[in-house]
Amino acid sequence: MANILLINGPNLNLLGSREPDLYGEVNLENIESSLTELAKKHGHSLDCFQSNAEHEIVDKIQAGQNSDTQFILINPGAFTHTSIAMRDALLAINIPFFEIHLSNTFSREDFRHKSYFSDVASGCLIGLGAHGYELALLAAIKKIDLS
Ligand code: DQA
């Protein structure tokens, strides 16, 4: 059994009510509970974490090194486009991760086209809405089970 860590960054606690045309109507609680069930069904566990604070996310990523975390799924929210600190934390712990975005960041403002994560991620799921989280989890499980 592996532990997978799901991290959601700033404002993703508002999913469901936040700009539903862009981000959908499913709230974070529902995403986290259905993913937890899905992980369980495949014999793994999921640790869910959301924060609006960059340093808390950096601390959570660093803590992954001292736990049995084998894979990280992360939607860094707006920190995607700004956070060298979160990128460095992920590089420091050497745990593979997938980057997730509900919206297609490439069809939006220019400042959303730059990600500090994509070039070091094992994979990116962008613009698939809440379904992207599910697909990311299934892909992570496949990688874990094959390793
Ligand atoms: C987002 C895209 C980011 O540009 C934005 O700041 C978010 C959400 C997404 O999931 O589409 O907060 O990460």
Side-chain angles (χ1 to χ4, degrees), residues 86-139:
M86 280 166 53
R87 173 194 172 95
D88 284 352
L90 285 162
L91 288 173
I93 61 166
N94 204 24
I95 295 171
F97 74 93
F98 288 150
E99 175 185 356
I100 303 165
H101 297 287
L102 293 134
S103 65
N104 181 357
T105 46
F106 294 104
S107 65
R108 301 181 62 194
E109 303 96 321
D110 284 353
F111 65 82
R112 293 186 207 274
H113 298 181
K114 164 73 188 167
S115 165
Y116 280 100
F117 300 85
S118 303
D119 64 312
V120 288
S122 295
C124 302
L125 291 102
I126 297 174
L128 302 174
H131 193 44
Y133 285 90
E134 199 180 311
L135 294 174
L137 178 61
L138 289 171

Side-chain angles (χ1 to χ4, degrees), residues 12-49:
L12 294 165
N13 54 315
L14 301 180
L15 283 183
S17 61
R18 174 193 182 200
E19 299 182 86
D21 290 352
L22 266 177
Y23 299 120
E25 289 179 357
V26 186
N27 66 31
L28 186 58
E29 207 179 4
N30 284 337
I31 291 173
E32 289 180 345
S33 62
S34 63
L35 256 68
T36 301
E37 277 310 303
L38 189 60
K40 212 185 281 176
K41 201 176 113 189
H42 287 265
H44 300 298
S45 65
L46 187 75
D47 177 16
C48 301
F49 181 79

